[in-house]
Amino acid sequence: MTSYVEGSPVKALIVEDSAVETMILSAMLRKFHCEITKAKNGKEAVQMFLEGKKFDIIFCDKEMPVMSGPEAIEKIRALGEIHVKIVGVSVGDNAEEEFMRVGADEFLPKPMELDVVGAIIQEIIKKKKNNDTV
Amino acid sequence: MEYANLRRQAASLKRSLFDQGYLDEQFCQVEDLQDEASPNFAEEVVSLFFKDSARLVSNIEQAMEKYPGDFNRWDAHMQQLKGSCFSIGASKMNNECTLFRNSCGEENAEGCRRSFQKVKREHAILRQKLESYFQLLRQAGPARTATRSGGK
């Protein structure tokens, strides 16, 4: 199921206030050899971008203390971060619409499935490989 | 073999947890994340879940006491607990969390109180059952691969 491509690992940022959900998603991403960074709320995530950190993908929860996922995504895109793939994640109603409105690329309902996460990561690996060979 | 017997007991307990609706397919997804690098991943996640959920239950209890009628606050706390339940496949707990949230939506304080008692009860039951399950697995030890028969 997993595939490994030589070169830099996919840099994933998990923005999630639930320790349990973070642990599960981290385990999924480790299966695909991702380099994982965690933020407990939207504000921490935005701060990382302000500090110049770069990521290939963000998995972002919706409801979080301090700053929500959609608010953080809006700010991250406003910083000019248009290339990072942003996946909104939630169990809530109308979450998909809200995420897409603020600039998310994709929405995944919770609970996430390994196959689905894997397909997204493989897509990024392929894109990185194509960029590397250009 | 004692190992095989313990494994059978663990499998039987797990099956009953599914049959009785305590767990759903998501629990299998969590167990499937176990590998050689993280052989006890499922137990670690469940342990974290119960530590976290105990805190969340306490938060809800305090919110209901300190902020009577503040259904938005109660709901926000319960949403966090529900999310965790969902992630590990704690189906019965998840259902009770939903009923609590429905009562919040209806501003039905008595409904919330009843549902909350059920959430706490299901939490305690699930904790006990999963502790038994993982204890059986620990006693059984790591899964042994089949070996060819032959003289030794």
Side-chain angles (χ1 to χ4, degrees):
Chain A
M1 181 196 296
T2 62
S3 71
Y4 182 66
V5 175
E6 280 187 23
S8 57
V10 171
K11 291 185 165 64
L13 172 62
I14 300 174
V15 190
E16 172 62 72
D17 61 328
S18 160
V20 171
E21 294 175 63
T22 299
M23 191 171 175
I24 292 171
L25 180 53
S26 295
M28 288 185 182
L29 293 173
R30 268 198 299 275
K31 297 271 185 203
F32 304 101
H33 308 280
C34 293
E35 186 182 296
I36 299 163
T37 305
K38 300 166 197 173
K40 288 200 202 87
N41 57 58
K43 188 175 178 187
E44 282 187 18
V46 173
Q47 187 58 33
M48 287 181 188
F49 282 92
L50 288 171
E51 288 168 5
K53 293 196 168 99
K54 296 291 177 194
F55 300 96
D56 297 306
I57 185 166
I58 305 173
F59 289 91
C60 189
D61 187 23
K62 182 169 175 266
E63 302 293 345
M64 288 177 287
V66 185
M67 187 186 288
S68 71
E71 193 182 343
I73 291 168
E74 204 166 20
K75 290 187 188 314
I76 288 166
R77 290 297 194 210
L79 289 172
E81 296 290 342
I82 56 172
H83 297 298
V84 60
K85 183 169 178 97
I86 301 182
V87 180
V89 184
S90 180
V91 286
D93 299 327
N94 304 318
E96 182 172 6
E97 194 188 316
E98 198 172 340
F99 273 120
M100 302 311 276
R101 187 172 46 79
V102 295
D105 297 294
E106 202 164 334
F107 172 77
L108 289 186
K110 284 183 182 178
M112 283 174 278
E113 292 176 17
L114 181 60
D115 289 350
V116 174
V117 171
I120 293 172
I121 298 299
Q122 293 295 356
E123 195 189 298
I124 294 180
I125 290 173
K126 199 171 161 186
K127 203 170 158 189
K128 279 166 75 81
K129 197 176 177 187
N130 287 342
N131 288 344
D132 287 347
T133 55
V134 164
Chain B
M1 267 175 83
E2 185 61 19
Y3 154 80
N5 189 32
L6 288 166
R7 280 265 152 194
R8 259 196 304 275
Q9 284 181 49
S12 174
L13 176 51
K14 182 173 151 185
R15 219 171 14 252
S16 76
L17 288 171
F18 276 85
D19 291 344
Q20 290 167 36
Y22 287 104
L23 295 176
D24 62 33
E25 173 58 30
Q26 184 58 24
F27 184 77
C28 295
Q29 292 259 343
V30 172
E31 283 195 313
D32 285 347
L33 291 171
Q34 282 185 168
D35 54 25
E36 279 176 15
S38 308
N40 304 313
F41 178 75
E43 187 174 2
E44 287 164 10
V45 169
V46 167
S47 176
L48 178 62
F49 168 75
F50 282 114
K51 185 176 161 190
D52 206 39
S53 58
R55 178 183 60 83
L56 292 171
V57 164
S58 173
N59 287 351
I60 295 165
E61 200 146 39
Q62 282 176 34
M64 290 175 80
E65 252 177 73
K66 274 189 190 171
Y67 305 101
D70 190 342
F71 295 102
N72 285 340
R73 188 187 293 265
W74 298 1
D75 183 64
H77 282 301
M78 186 56 82
Q79 185 178 21
Q80 286 190 291
L81 178 58
K82 185 177 155 65
S84 287
C85 293
F86 211 21
S87 292
I88 71 149
S91 182
K92 267 199 185 182
M93 260 193 81
N94 188 24
N95 291 342
E96 295 301 339
C97 292
T98 300
L99 291 175
F100 179 95
R101 297 193 70 201
N102 290 346
S103 292
C104 285
E106 293 159 6
E107 298 196 348
N108 177 357
E110 188 47 42
C112 286
R113 271 187 276 277
R114 275 198 304 271
S115 293
F116 185 56
Q117 292 311 311
K118 288 180 184 172
V119 168
K120 288 202 291 187
R121 191 168 64 236
E122 292 303 335
H123 182 257
I125 292 170
L126 184 64
R127 180 176 212 143
Q128 187 199 30
K129 288 183 184 292
L130 284 176
E131 273 174 3
S132 300
Y133 172 66
F134 286 114
Q135 189 174 21
L136 284 167
L137 288 180
R138 278 197 301 273
Q139 285 170 345
R144 290 154 175 73
T145 50
T147 54
R148 287 179 189 277
S149 60
K152 273 202 172 176

